[in-house]
Amino acid sequence: MTSIGGAEMVDWNLAVATATRLVRPGPDISREEAREVVAELRRHAKSAEEHVRSFTRMIPEGTEPEDTPVLVVDRAGWIRANVAGFRELLRPLLEKMQDRRGNSPGGAVLGAVGGKVTGVELGMLLSFLASRVLGQYETFAPAGRDLPASANGGGRLLLVAPNIVHVERELEVDPHDFRLWVALHEETHRTQFTGVPWLRDHLQGEIQSFLDETDVDPMTVLERLREAAQSLAGGRPEGEDGEDGGRSLVEIVQTPAQREILGRLTAVMSLLEGHADYVMDGVGPEVVSSVGEIREKFQQRRARGASRLDQALRKLLGLDAKLRQYRDGERFVRAVVDEVGMGGFNRVWTSPNTLPTKAEIAAPADWIARVHRKAES
């Protein structure tokens, strides 16, 4: 990224350093036990690939989609991978903001200071998330020396070993079953993107459209942040009414055009997350003997959060919305499969036009009527 006076809008190295310094230590585990966990997660990732393909029927027999690497990482490895992904995805927006700042008085100095402040803030956010993510399919993942990705510059599956061990101990479930159960969910995401070639470009286009709509005027952003802070604190500017009290900071700091794009993105993410949950539970009974116990305990953990601070941060960052995506998306997938079968559901992957809208996620019959009955008429 071009810089002004040698300063970038975000000090990415400082973000990595801050996050790795602040992240919680992983569970107490011997070196030998850690090696066994890593080896088992790699085996489960391989077996999950076969189970998911057979269950979803998204990849026709005899075809082999583009290979994407599976990486078993620690919390620091997850942080480095996500910083690399953020840097790639946000590059166009940050270049635009940097151009705006460079044309203003004192822009170079503000860039140097602001880049470090933003780097620390991003590092603090990642340190919070790094101890909570069990696995992740990185859709926009640039290849690096220590973090390989697929040949076209995107795609790798991360399994965060210390977090998986921490949760399986916390829930007191069978560790071998739990590791395979997690692998089934994450492998479903890999199958979604490797089996649907247009999906990555479609998502990237939507995200870039969202970023292109970002108002780079600092005063406008600060005003929206002020409104967000007042809303989250339970107060409002005198004489104002509205419905922002139930929304996250991420939702409030937006333009109307961004909210429209976010609605489409929310629908897609609900579909992807709900589909992964549906698949992991559908495959589960055949290969994970304790899947019922795992699902019940994991759902309870999702719902309650770890602490009052955790719940506040989840709301602030919009993570509660992500929990709704799992639930609403899974209900959509289950309702459609019950009505038209897995083959009928897989029409969702035909093109961007057959993806469900946000309203259709809540009303699966409307999606069936639009996609199936229209095609049959």
Side-chain angles (χ1 to χ4, degrees):
M1 180 184 301
T2 8
S3 60
I4 298 173
E8 293 186 357
M9 290 291 296
V10 179
D11 188 328
W12 300 105
N13 292 332
L14 183 57
V16 172
T18 300
T20 52
R21 185 176 69 251
L22 295 179
V23 71
R24 296 176 182 176
D28 187 17
I29 186 171
S30 69
R31 184 168 298 181
E32 180 60 31
E33 192 178 0
R35 281 196 291 264
E36 292 174 358
V37 171
V38 170
E40 183 173 18
L41 285 172
R42 287 176 176 154
R43 291 195 303 271
H44 284 332
K46 185 62 180 175
S47 63
E49 181 179 358
E50 300 170 7
H51 294 309
V52 169
R53 290 187 183 185
S54 174
F55 184 81
T56 63
R57 304 199 297 275
M58 291 179 63
I59 299 175
E61 290 187 20
T63 64
E64 192 61 35
E66 181 181 20
D67 186 39
T68 54
V70 177
L71 307 179
V72 181
V73 297
D74 58 12
R75 291 170 178 174
W78 181 88
I79 289 167
R80 289 193 298 273
N82 275 266
V83 166
F86 281 143
R87 186 173 190 170
E88 185 70 20
L89 193 61
L90 296 177
R91 185 184 300 270
L93 171 64
L94 294 181
E95 287 178 342
K96 182 170 71 171
M97 294 180 71
Q98 190 144 323
D99 287 343
R100 171 75 67 87
R101 177 175 283 175
N103 294 329
S104 64
V109 175
L110 288 173
V113 175
K116 292 191 178 301
V117 171
T118 308
V120 169
E121 291 172 341
L122 177 58
M124 293 173 67
L125 168 62
L126 289 172
S127 72
F128 170 75
L129 296 174
S131 61
R132 287 159 172 78
V133 176
L134 302 182
Q136 174 185 0
Y137 183 77
E138 273 206 293
T139 315
F140 313 106
R145 184 178 58 186
D146 301 322
L147 292 165
S150 65
N152 70 354
R156 59 179 165 235
L157 179 61
L158 306 179
L159 296 171
V160 190
N163 296 350
I164 293 172
V165 171
H166 171 80
V167 174
E168 71 192 23
R169 289 179 177 178
E170 179 186 332
L171 299 182
E172 298 181 335
V173 294
D174 181 280
H176 309 293
D177 281 0
F178 184 74
R179 293 166 197 173
L180 177 54
W181 188 71
V182 171
L184 288 169
H185 182 102
E186 303 308 332
E187 176 57 39
T188 302
H189 288 315
R190 185 162 72 145
T191 299
Q192 290 163 348
F193 283 95
T194 56
V196 184
W198 53 264
L199 184 57
R200 179 182 183 273
D201 288 343
H202 172 71
L203 265 183
Q204 186 171 31
E206 290 281 52
I207 292 170
Q208 289 305 326
S209 295
F210 182 90
L211 295 177
D212 287 344
E213 288 291 334
T214 300
D215 192 332
V216 295
D217 175 57
M219 293 308 297
T220 301
V221 174
L222 286 173
E223 177 63 20
R224 289 193 186 132
L225 286 171
R226 182 187 66 84
E227 294 172 4
Q230 289 174 332
S231 176
L232 291 167
R236 295 185 178 280
E238 188 175 350
E240 289 188 14
D241 293 310
E243 299 180 354
D244 285 345
R247 294 191 296 167
S248 70
L249 182 150
V250 176
E251 293 173 300
I252 293 171
V253 187
Q254 290 169 13
T255 66
Q258 284 178 313
R259 288 176 190 155
E260 183 178 338
I261 298 168
L262 185 67
R264 296 196 298 268
L265 282 169
T266 298
V268 176
M269 298 311 298
S270 296
L271 171 68
L272 299 180
E273 296 294 357
H275 183 234
D277 266 12
Y278 178 82
V279 171
M280 72 195 295
D281 288 342
V283 174
E286 296 183 9
V287 297
V288 181
S289 58
S290 59
V291 65
E293 177 192 4
I294 291 173
R295 164 56 75 187
E296 181 180 358
K297 289 184 175 180
F298 194 75
Q299 289 285 54
Q300 291 172 354
R301 182 181 185 273
R302 269 183 181 172
R304 69 174 179 262
S307 66
R308 180 174 295 181
L309 174 61
D310 185 72
Q311 290 171 0
L313 286 170
R314 281 183 2 185
K315 179 166 182 61
L316 177 68
L317 300 173
L319 299 183
D320 281 345
K322 186 171 179 64
L323 297 182
R324 290 195 296 273
Q325 288 173 7
Y326 287 107
R327 183 183 64 244
D328 298 344
E330 196 274 340
R331 287 174 182 167
F332 171 84
V333 176
R334 185 173 301 279
V336 172
V337 173
D338 287 348
E339 182 68 23
V340 297
M342 186 62 76
F345 166 78
N346 280 342
R347 287 195 188 180
V348 80
W349 312 117
T350 304
S351 75
N353 293 329
T354 57
L355 291 171
T357 64
K358 189 175 179 181
E360 287 171 341
I361 288 288
D366 292 348
W367 180 86
I368 294 172
R370 177 171 67 87
V371 172
H372 281 264
R373 291 168 195 164
K374 182 178 179 181
E376 293 162 3
S377 60

